[in-house]
Amino acid sequence: MTSLATPFNDGLHAGVVRYQRCAACGQAQTLARYACQRCGHEDLRWHDAAGTATVRAATVVARAPSEDFRALAPYTLVIVQLDEGPRLMGHAAAGVQIGERVCAAFFEHLGRPLLHFVPAT
Ligand SMILES: [Zn+2]
């Protein structure tokens, strides 16, 4: 099924983080949207991110919100800012700190890839 987020999800399967950039004003954004958050233009192009980012927020989830994630708990979630600008959420290695440089990695869970950030080397 093709949805607005298909290019992003296809990227996860290929081991790539993708984001949208507005062809009119250059604004970069995640998640997938129909229009630019800044100028409202609808000509959004998908780009591959380098996968490097800075941690902006981090938390440890002790009680998973659903049965699907119970086996992973406790696990770390982060909001990172990609070097290209937009922010997004993902899993992360335990112990990552706000301000730390990380890079995107991926792991399979229940048959689908999850975004997982690890300290940049
Ligand atoms: Zn724009």
Side-chain angles (χ1 to χ4, degrees), residues 21-27 29 35-41 43-44:
R21 185 176 295 283
C22 175
C25 77
Q27 172 83 1
Q29 64 187 19
C36 173
Q37 285 181 286
R38 182 160 64 187
C39 76
H41 207 277
D43 188 2
L44 300 171

Side-chain angles (χ1 to χ4, degrees), residues 1 23 39 50 58 75 77 95 108 118:
M1 186 181 86
C39 76
Y75 56 88
L77 290 181
E108 286 275 322
V118 297

Side-chain angles (χ1 to χ4, degrees), residues 1 6-8 10 14 17 20 24 30-31 39 47 50 52-53 57 64 67 86 92 95 103 106 108:
M1 186 181 86
T6 294
F8 180 83
D10 286 350
V17 178
Q20 293 177 312
T30 58
L31 303 164
C39 76
H47 297 272
T52 46
E67 189 64 41
C103 60
F106 303 86
E108 286 275 322

